Amino acid sequence: MSFLSSERACLEKEDPEIAGLFAKEAKRLQDGLELIASENVASPAVLAALSSVFSNKYAEGYPGKRYYGGCEWVDPAEEMARSRLKRLFGAAAANVQPHSGAQANQSVFLAALQAGDRILGMNLSHGGHLTHGFKLNASGKLYDAAFYGVDEVTGQIDFNRVREAARQHQPQLIIAGASAYPRQIDFKTFREIADEVGAKLLVDMAHIAGLVAAGVHQSPVPHAQFVTSTTHKTLRGPRGGVVLADEEHGVAIDRAVFPGIQGGPLMHVIAAKAVAFGEALKPEFRDHAVQVVNNAKALAAALVDSGVHLVSGGTDNHLLLIDLRQSSFSGQEIEDRLAQVGLTVNKNTVPGETRSAMVTSGVRIGTPAITTRGLVEEHMKPLAGVISDCIADVEGWQERGRKMVAELCSSLPLYDGVFGSKGYAWNGQNNI
Ligand code: DSN
């Protein structure tokens, strides 16, 4: 990868201030454990594609039908991204141009709805997403948004209530998918409810896409007219979005993405998406996804054993949601305290939340990035011990936490060679 080191040398010479920030971020990643459920560690190959000459190219349109000349090398890259994505999820149609998950969702709204139509999504404070109808988001301003939630006792989606909400609100589009829901989602039942009220179904699988690709979570693709995702969470690619559609809606989605909501696609990101989809098609990726879920289950079990309350009592996927309502600390306070020992998490609302979203009564924890780094089940008990001692304010938790994090981080180095000097040690699938 002299490619990346020579680019880095150029940057250091040209702009040492920015290069210095990359070095600091690389050190932050190396010295801490990343537990934010929506983050991951992309491979050096994905980073190389992001840092490529494709960044220079304008390519409005689609392969073979562009508004610019000189697209002969970006066209096959977009074709590869599209065909690999379709193969990964068994989808009839795919669009790899959305710059983000938010834009992927917006393109579905444009393709499927008229302004003012009604949408039914999951309540944000119950684990939904702001692009599913939140009042300050375009989805809540341009469309008439109604919501379903989880049962506050079980912490799980109650389909009787979803059905009731669908019958009451008669939406044109039902949105399934969440940002902070630790359980499997039954997409087949969502589709039955959508059909019953004459709505279309959009599944936003951003959080679980890698698990779906690996077959460790039910796929929404056979059930939904539209499936959106980001590419950087469990799927472990570059930051970006994609849309999958059934045969009937593929053309409408292409028109909605361009020229509907976007201009020129980011061809370097599309090439990086192709690289990530290629990685996800390899058998090792399935082993990785199984380990992500095994780690989350082991961490959840160890936390519950230590007396920590989890929304829904555990997890089926890559994340868990700690309920701090019986603790003396808020979500913000626990986020800050864990940061002191090198554990990065995010505060999160819990169902029935009474604090503001800037404070919260919960903390969301995910295992994708630490699994890429090489952590396995045996590491989860000590990790849970530090987190539970932090929440219970047990004396000496910081010293124990710092020691555990330092030992793990030095034994599992990350990205040496890209930002350091020792040669690669990216741990995704143990050293590509
Ligand atoms: N903000 C992302 C998350 O952290 O889940 C979702 O877009």
mmCIF file of all heavy atoms in Angstrom, residues 270-306:
data_model
loop_
_atom_site.group_PDB
_atom_site.id
_atom_site.type_symbol
_atom_site.label_atom_id
_atom_site.label_comp_id
_atom_site.label_asym_id
_atom_site.label_seq_id
_atom_site.Cartn_x
_atom_site.Cartn_y
_atom_site.Cartn_z
ATOM 1 N N ILE A 270 -18.577 5.302 -4.841
ATOM 2 C CA ILE A 270 -19.236 4.163 -5.497
ATOM 3 C C ILE A 270 -18.221 3.032 -5.733
ATOM 4 O O ILE A 270 -18.522 1.847 -5.513
ATOM 5 C CB ILE A 270 -19.922 4.626 -6.802
ATOM 6 C CG1 ILE A 270 -21.152 5.468 -6.425
ATOM 7 C CG2 ILE A 270 -20.306 3.436 -7.692
ATOM 8 C CD1 ILE A 270 -21.846 6.155 -7.577
ATOM 9 N N ALA A 271 -16.990 3.399 -6.135
ATOM 10 C CA ALA A 271 -15.948 2.363 -6.307
ATOM 11 C C ALA A 271 -15.649 1.694 -4.959
ATOM 12 O O ALA A 271 -15.491 0.463 -4.881
ATOM 13 C CB ALA A 271 -14.685 2.997 -6.885
ATOM 14 N N ALA A 272 -15.611 2.503 -3.903
ATOM 15 C CA ALA A 272 -15.346 1.929 -2.564
ATOM 16 C C ALA A 272 -16.508 1.032 -2.127
ATOM 17 O O ALA A 272 -16.301 0.014 -1.459
ATOM 18 C CB ALA A 272 -15.106 3.053 -1.561
ATOM 19 N N LYS A 273 -17.743 1.410 -2.509
ATOM 20 C CA LYS A 273 -18.886 0.537 -2.207
ATOM 21 C C LYS A 273 -18.692 -0.811 -2.920
ATOM 22 O O LYS A 273 -18.922 -1.875 -2.337
ATOM 23 C CB LYS A 273 -20.202 1.186 -2.675
ATOM 24 C CG LYS A 273 -20.665 2.357 -1.819
ATOM 25 C CD LYS A 273 -21.888 3.054 -2.456
ATOM 26 C CE LYS A 273 -22.308 4.279 -1.645
ATOM 27 N NZ LYS A 273 -23.345 5.088 -2.311
ATOM 28 N N ALA A 274 -18.258 -0.754 -4.198
ATOM 29 C CA ALA A 274 -18.042 -2.012 -4.943
ATOM 30 C C ALA A 274 -17.026 -2.890 -4.218
ATOM 31 O O ALA A 274 -17.212 -4.106 -4.090
ATOM 32 C CB ALA A 274 -17.575 -1.707 -6.364
ATOM 33 N N VAL A 275 -15.965 -2.259 -3.718
ATOM 34 C CA VAL A 275 -14.937 -3.032 -3.002
ATOM 35 C C VAL A 275 -15.545 -3.682 -1.758
ATOM 36 O O VAL A 275 -15.352 -4.878 -1.485
ATOM 37 C CB VAL A 275 -13.744 -2.121 -2.598
ATOM 38 C CG1 VAL A 275 -12.759 -2.872 -1.706
ATOM 39 C CG2 VAL A 275 -13.035 -1.579 -3.837
ATOM 40 N N ALA A 276 -16.319 -2.896 -1.008
ATOM 41 C CA ALA A 276 -16.917 -3.422 0.231
ATOM 42 C C ALA A 276 -17.920 -4.540 -0.083
ATOM 43 O O ALA A 276 -17.968 -5.553 0.628
ATOM 44 C CB ALA A 276 -17.609 -2.296 0.993
ATOM 45 N N PHE A 277 -18.716 -4.384 -1.151
ATOM 46 C CA PHE A 277 -19.683 -5.446 -1.485
ATOM 47 C C PHE A 277 -18.925 -6.724 -1.873
ATOM 48 O O PHE A 277 -19.341 -7.833 -1.539
ATOM 49 C CB PHE A 277 -20.620 -5.022 -2.620
ATOM 50 C CG PHE A 277 -21.395 -3.757 -2.337
ATOM 51 C CD1 PHE A 277 -21.821 -2.924 -3.379
ATOM 52 C CD2 PHE A 277 -21.698 -3.382 -1.030
ATOM 53 C CE1 PHE A 277 -22.527 -1.754 -3.126
ATOM 54 C CE2 PHE A 277 -22.401 -2.207 -0.769
ATOM 55 C CZ PHE A 277 -22.808 -1.386 -1.816
ATOM 56 N N GLY A 278 -17.800 -6.531 -2.585
ATOM 57 C CA GLY A 278 -16.965 -7.700 -2.938
ATOM 58 C C GLY A 278 -16.470 -8.387 -1.673
ATOM 59 O O GLY A 278 -16.487 -9.625 -1.571
ATOM 60 N N GLU A 279 -16.059 -7.604 -0.684
ATOM 61 C CA GLU A 279 -15.593 -8.207 0.583
ATOM 62 C C GLU A 279 -16.737 -8.948 1.272
ATOM 63 O O GLU A 279 -16.556 -10.033 1.827
ATOM 64 C CB GLU A 279 -15.050 -7.105 1.511
ATOM 65 C CG GLU A 279 -13.735 -6.509 1.028
ATOM 66 C CD GLU A 279 -13.254 -5.315 1.856
ATOM 67 O OE1 GLU A 279 -13.995 -4.852 2.755
ATOM 68 O OE2 GLU A 279 -12.135 -4.847 1.599
ATOM 69 N N ALA A 280 -17.929 -8.325 1.238
ATOM 70 C CA ALA A 280 -19.071 -8.932 1.944
ATOM 71 C C ALA A 280 -19.549 -10.209 1.251
ATOM 72 O O ALA A 280 -20.232 -11.032 1.875
ATOM 73 C CB ALA A 280 -20.215 -7.925 2.057
ATOM 74 N N LEU A 281 -19.217 -10.365 -0.030
ATOM 75 C CA LEU A 281 -19.617 -11.591 -0.741
ATOM 76 C C LEU A 281 -18.715 -12.779 -0.389
ATOM 77 O O LEU A 281 -19.029 -13.921 -0.707
ATOM 78 C CB LEU A 281 -19.571 -11.354 -2.261
ATOM 79 C CG LEU A 281 -20.778 -10.604 -2.835
ATOM 80 C CD1 LEU A 281 -20.455 -10.038 -4.229
ATOM 81 C CD2 LEU A 281 -22.018 -11.500 -2.908
ATOM 82 N N LYS A 282 -17.587 -12.506 0.280
ATOM 83 C CA LYS A 282 -16.665 -13.608 0.624
ATOM 84 C C LYS A 282 -17.190 -14.387 1.831
ATOM 85 O O LYS A 282 -17.812 -13.812 2.726
ATOM 86 C CB LYS A 282 -15.287 -13.036 0.966
ATOM 87 C CG LYS A 282 -14.582 -12.453 -0.233
ATOM 88 C CD LYS A 282 -13.209 -11.985 0.151
ATOM 89 C CE LYS A 282 -12.534 -11.349 -1.043
ATOM 90 N NZ LYS A 282 -11.426 -10.504 -0.662
ATOM 91 N N PRO A 283 -16.906 -15.695 1.876
ATOM 92 C CA PRO A 283 -17.405 -16.503 2.998
ATOM 93 C C PRO A 283 -16.927 -15.988 4.364
ATOM 94 O O PRO A 283 -17.643 -16.109 5.358
ATOM 95 C CB PRO A 283 -16.841 -17.899 2.720
ATOM 96 C CG PRO A 283 -16.258 -17.881 1.368
ATOM 97 C CD PRO A 283 -16.158 -16.474 0.881
ATOM 98 N N GLU A 284 -15.728 -15.396 4.422
ATOM 99 C CA GLU A 284 -15.212 -14.915 5.722
ATOM 100 C C GLU A 284 -16.129 -13.850 6.317
ATOM 101 O O GLU A 284 -16.169 -13.659 7.536
ATOM 102 C CB GLU A 284 -13.816 -14.276 5.586
ATOM 103 C CG GLU A 284 -12.765 -15.108 4.941
ATOM 104 C CD GLU A 284 -12.723 -14.904 3.434
ATOM 105 O OE1 GLU A 284 -13.569 -15.507 2.738
ATOM 106 O OE2 GLU A 284 -11.852 -14.153 2.955
ATOM 107 N N PHE A 285 -16.838 -13.123 5.444
ATOM 108 C CA PHE A 285 -17.702 -12.060 5.981
ATOM 109 C C PHE A 285 -18.842 -12.661 6.805
ATOM 110 O O PHE A 285 -19.281 -12.090 7.793
ATOM 111 C CB PHE A 285 -18.254 -11.180 4.851
ATOM 112 C CG PHE A 285 -18.969 -9.957 5.366
ATOM 113 C CD1 PHE A 285 -18.253 -8.840 5.779
ATOM 114 C CD2 PHE A 285 -20.354 -9.925 5.466
ATOM 115 C CE1 PHE A 285 -18.902 -7.716 6.289
ATOM 116 C CE2 PHE A 285 -21.012 -8.810 5.977
ATOM 117 C CZ PHE A 285 -20.286 -7.705 6.380
ATOM 118 N N ARG A 286 -19.307 -13.846 6.376
ATOM 119 C CA ARG A 286 -20.371 -14.499 7.154
ATOM 120 C C ARG A 286 -19.838 -14.837 8.554
ATOM 121 O O ARG A 286 -20.512 -14.603 9.557
ATOM 122 C CB ARG A 286 -20.862 -15.769 6.444
ATOM 123 C CG ARG A 286 -21.960 -16.404 7.230
ATOM 124 C CD ARG A 286 -22.721 -17.512 6.582
ATOM 125 N NE ARG A 286 -23.955 -17.709 7.333
ATOM 126 C CZ ARG A 286 -24.032 -18.333 8.492
ATOM 127 N NH1 ARG A 286 -22.957 -18.835 9.053
ATOM 128 N NH2 ARG A 286 -25.189 -18.436 9.126
ATOM 129 N N ASP A 287 -18.611 -15.364 8.619
ATOM 130 C CA ASP A 287 -18.029 -15.696 9.934
ATOM 131 C C ASP A 287 -17.946 -14.438 10.791
ATOM 132 O O ASP A 287 -18.221 -14.460 11.990
ATOM 133 C CB ASP A 287 -16.614 -16.280 9.771
ATOM 134 C CG ASP A 287 -16.618 -17.540 8.919
ATOM 135 O OD1 ASP A 287 -17.692 -18.158 8.787
ATOM 136 O OD2 ASP A 287 -15.559 -17.882 8.375
ATOM 137 N N HIS A 288 -17.560 -13.340 10.162
ATOM 138 C CA HIS A 288 -17.452 -12.075 10.888
ATOM 139 C C HIS A 288 -18.817 -11.664 11.453
ATOM 140 O O HIS A 288 -18.942 -11.298 12.621
ATOM 141 C CB HIS A 288 -16.892 -10.991 9.958
ATOM 142 C CG HIS A 288 -17.146 -9.606 10.425
ATOM 143 N ND1 HIS A 288 -16.445 -9.034 11.471
ATOM 144 C CD2 HIS A 288 -18.053 -8.678 10.025
ATOM 145 C CE1 HIS A 288 -16.910 -7.817 11.686
ATOM 146 N NE2 HIS A 288 -17.883 -7.570 10.823
ATOM 147 N N ALA A 289 -19.864 -11.734 10.608
ATOM 148 C CA ALA A 289 -21.200 -11.302 11.053
ATOM 149 C C ALA A 289 -21.714 -12.194 12.185
ATOM 150 O O ALA A 289 -22.339 -11.706 13.143
ATOM 151 C CB ALA A 289 -22.170 -11.305 9.875
ATOM 152 N N VAL A 290 -21.440 -13.489 12.096
ATOM 153 C CA VAL A 290 -21.836 -14.404 13.183
ATOM 154 C C VAL A 290 -21.134 -13.974 14.473
ATOM 155 O O VAL A 290 -21.734 -13.919 15.550
ATOM 156 C CB VAL A 290 -21.469 -15.877 12.807
ATOM 157 C CG1 VAL A 290 -21.595 -16.795 14.014
ATOM 158 C CG2 VAL A 290 -22.357 -16.365 11.660
ATOM 159 N N GLN A 291 -19.859 -13.611 14.344
ATOM 160 C CA GLN A 291 -19.097 -13.195 15.539
ATOM 161 C C GLN A 291 -19.632 -11.884 16.116
ATOM 162 O O GLN A 291 -19.673 -11.698 17.335
ATOM 163 C CB GLN A 291 -17.614 -13.056 15.166
ATOM 164 C CG GLN A 291 -16.699 -12.864 16.360
ATOM 165 C CD GLN A 291 -16.694 -14.080 17.284
ATOM 166 O OE1 GLN A 291 -16.428 -15.183 16.848
ATOM 167 N NE2 GLN A 291 -17.023 -13.870 18.555
ATOM 168 N N VAL A 292 -20.064 -10.964 15.235
ATOM 169 C CA VAL A 292 -20.651 -9.697 15.707
ATOM 170 C C VAL A 292 -21.837 -9.989 16.629
ATOM 171 O O VAL A 292 -21.958 -9.437 17.730
ATOM 172 C CB VAL A 292 -21.124 -8.829 14.507
ATOM 173 C CG1 VAL A 292 -22.008 -7.669 14.969
ATOM 174 C CG2 VAL A 292 -19.931 -8.285 13.724
ATOM 175 N N VAL A 293 -22.716 -10.896 16.168
ATOM 176 C CA VAL A 293 -23.916 -11.221 16.959
ATOM 177 C C VAL A 293 -23.518 -11.994 18.220
ATOM 178 O O VAL A 293 -24.027 -11.716 19.318
ATOM 179 C CB VAL A 293 -24.939 -12.006 16.100
ATOM 180 C CG1 VAL A 293 -26.131 -12.436 16.943
ATOM 181 C CG2 VAL A 293 -25.402 -11.155 14.920
ATOM 182 N N ASN A 294 -22.593 -12.954 18.091
ATOM 183 C CA ASN A 294 -22.166 -13.713 19.277
ATOM 184 C C ASN A 294 -21.568 -12.773 20.328
ATOM 185 O O ASN A 294 -21.810 -12.933 21.531
ATOM 186 C CB ASN A 294 -21.143 -14.785 18.900
ATOM 187 C CG ASN A 294 -21.788 -15.933 18.145
ATOM 188 O OD1 ASN A 294 -23.016 -16.046 18.119
ATOM 189 N ND2 ASN A 294 -20.986 -16.779 17.524
ATOM 190 N N ASN A 295 -20.775 -11.814 19.880
ATOM 191 C CA ASN A 295 -20.181 -10.859 20.833
ATOM 192 C C ASN A 295 -21.266 -10.040 21.520
ATOM 193 O O ASN A 295 -21.217 -9.811 22.735
ATOM 194 C CB ASN A 295 -19.204 -9.929 20.113
ATOM 195 C CG ASN A 295 -17.871 -10.594 19.823
ATOM 196 O OD1 ASN A 295 -17.600 -11.691 20.311
ATOM 197 N ND2 ASN A 295 -17.046 -9.940 19.024
ATOM 198 N N ALA A 296 -22.261 -9.574 20.730
ATOM 199 C CA ALA A 296 -23.326 -8.754 21.325
ATOM 200 C C ALA A 296 -24.111 -9.563 22.350
ATOM 201 O O ALA A 296 -24.430 -9.079 23.447
ATOM 202 C CB ALA A 296 -24.250 -8.219 20.233
ATOM 203 N N LYS A 297 -24.404 -10.825 22.017
ATOM 204 C CA LYS A 297 -25.160 -11.673 22.962
ATOM 205 C C LYS A 297 -24.332 -11.925 24.226
ATOM 206 O O LYS A 297 -24.873 -11.901 25.342
ATOM 207 C CB LYS A 297 -25.517 -13.014 22.304
ATOM 208 C CG LYS A 297 -26.676 -12.928 21.306
ATOM 209 C CD LYS A 297 -26.942 -14.319 20.736
ATOM 210 C CE LYS A 297 -27.889 -14.302 19.564
ATOM 211 N NZ LYS A 297 -29.271 -14.128 19.913
ATOM 212 N N ALA A 298 -23.031 -12.174 24.062
ATOM 213 C CA ALA A 298 -22.170 -12.440 25.228
ATOM 214 C C ALA A 298 -22.055 -11.189 26.094
ATOM 215 O O ALA A 298 -22.098 -11.267 27.338
ATOM 216 C CB ALA A 298 -20.783 -12.898 24.764
ATOM 217 N N LEU A 299 -21.941 -10.022 25.459
ATOM 218 C CA LEU A 299 -21.843 -8.767 26.216
ATOM 219 C C LEU A 299 -23.151 -8.496 26.953
ATOM 220 O O LEU A 299 -23.151 -8.126 28.136
ATOM 221 C CB LEU A 299 -21.507 -7.620 25.248
ATOM 222 C CG LEU A 299 -21.279 -6.248 25.867
ATOM 223 C CD1 LEU A 299 -20.121 -6.264 26.869
ATOM 224 C CD2 LEU A 299 -20.995 -5.205 24.774
ATOM 225 N N ALA A 300 -24.268 -8.735 26.264
ATOM 226 C CA ALA A 300 -25.577 -8.507 26.890
ATOM 227 C C ALA A 300 -25.759 -9.430 28.093
ATOM 228 O O ALA A 300 -26.177 -8.994 29.182
ATOM 229 C CB ALA A 300 -26.695 -8.741 25.871
ATOM 230 N N ALA A 301 -25.416 -10.705 27.926
ATOM 231 C CA ALA A 301 -25.598 -11.668 29.029
ATOM 232 C C ALA A 301 -24.739 -11.272 30.223
ATOM 233 O O ALA A 301 -25.195 -11.306 31.379
ATOM 234 C CB ALA A 301 -25.247 -13.075 28.546
ATOM 235 N N ALA A 302 -23.492 -10.860 29.964
ATOM 236 C CA ALA A 302 -22.601 -10.489 31.072
ATOM 237 C C ALA A 302 -23.083 -9.215 31.761
ATOM 238 O O ALA A 302 -22.991 -9.092 32.995
ATOM 239 C CB ALA A 302 -21.175 -10.316 30.540
ATOM 240 N N LEU A 303 -23.622 -8.289 31.010
ATOM 241 C CA LEU A 303 -24.151 -7.055 31.631
ATOM 242 C C LEU A 303 -25.371 -7.372 32.499
ATOM 243 O O LEU A 303 -25.484 -6.881 33.625
ATOM 244 C CB LEU A 303 -24.523 -6.030 30.548
ATOM 245 C CG LEU A 303 -23.351 -5.310 29.878
ATOM 246 C CD1 LEU A 303 -23.812 -4.553 28.638
ATOM 247 C CD2 LEU A 303 -22.667 -4.339 30.856
ATOM 248 N N VAL A 304 -26.262 -8.197 31.954
ATOM 249 C CA VAL A 304 -27.473 -8.568 32.721
ATOM 250 C C VAL A 304 -27.055 -9.289 34.006
ATOM 251 O O VAL A 304 -27.570 -9.007 35.098
ATOM 252 C CB VAL A 304 -28.426 -9.421 31.851
ATOM 253 C CG1 VAL A 304 -29.533 -10.038 32.702
ATOM 254 C CG2 VAL A 304 -29.037 -8.567 30.734
ATOM 255 N N ASP A 305 -26.065 -10.190 33.914
ATOM 256 C CA ASP A 305 -25.569 -10.901 35.111
ATOM 257 C C ASP A 305 -25.025 -9.934 36.151
ATOM 258 O O ASP A 305 -25.061 -10.209 37.340
ATOM 259 C CB ASP A 305 -24.429 -11.862 34.735
ATOM 260 C CG ASP A 305 -24.969 -13.139 34.136
ATOM 261 O OD1 ASP A 305 -26.197 -13.348 34.186
ATOM 262 O OD2 ASP A 305 -24.151 -13.920 33.597
ATOM 263 N N SER A 306 -24.492 -8.796 35.677
ATOM 264 C CA SER A 306 -23.941 -7.809 36.620
ATOM 265 C C SER A 306 -25.005 -6.834 37.110
ATOM 266 O O SER A 306 -24.676 -5.830 37.744
ATOM 267 C CB SER A 306 -22.833 -6.992 35.973
ATOM 268 O OG SER A 306 -21.980 -7.786 35.263
#
